[in-house]
Amino acid sequence: HRTTKEKVAFPETIINGEGEYNIGEKTLVLKKYVEKEIFIFPDAAASFIYADLSKIEMPLTLRTRRDGDIINPFGMRGTMKLKKYLNSKGVSKHKRDEILLLANDNEVLWVVGVGLSNKIGVTSVPTHVIEVI
């Protein structure tokens, strides 16, 4: 029998460019941003983001959290532990192991439905649209 401490292993998906990637029952869609007239930043809780991937090297990983994860929250200076970030965003403990993360090694770039990192935050024009459906 399992103890409550034991984590359920979620799959990990390598993202190495534009396309569709499956993880569990979800699909991540990474596509180039096509310039159009209306550009509205989605709510932090949205399941899609506009991203600037021009400074990011592939591959990225779509996964759940791990010990040692850090994030540089959008609009803030410096990095913080993911656990502290999730606390500050009011994410309940039982949801934390289910939240999908787009990460580069141990650095989280997007906490799906919670918020994103300065590393991919858009300062002028996005390069990509990333959505989880």
Side-chain angles (χ1 to χ4, degrees), residues 29-117:
V29 181
L30 174 61
K31 57 189 178 209
K32 265 209 178 324
Y33 171 73
V34 180
E35 227 169 298
K36 44 190 176 190
E37 287 179 38
I38 303 169
F39 169 58
I40 300 167
F41 280 102
D43 186 278
S47 59
F48 75 98
I49 55 168
Y50 292 104
D52 180 354
L53 299 182
S54 62
K55 303 177 289 282
I56 299 296
E57 282 191 31
M58 295 288 177
L60 302 176
T61 316
L62 184 65
R63 59 174 176 79
T64 51
R65 71 182 181 148
R66 283 194 207 130
D67 287 344
D69 280 345
I70 56 167
I71 186 168
N72 175 349
F74 191 66
M76 287 178 65
R77 292 168 74 124
T79 57
M80 67 185 346
K81 288 186 172 159
L82 181 66
K83 182 178 182 177
K84 188 174 175 187
Y85 177 73
L86 293 175
N87 274 344
S88 74
K89 291 291 190 178
V91 177
S92 62
K93 286 192 163 102
H94 69 276
K95 285 214 157 152
R96 294 181 189 179
D97 288 331
E98 298 166 18
I99 292 177
L100 288 178
L101 307 172
L102 184 63
N104 191 344
D105 291 327
N106 74 326
E107 183 158 4
V108 176
L109 301 173
W110 181 30
V111 181
V112 177
V114 179
L116 73 159
S117 163

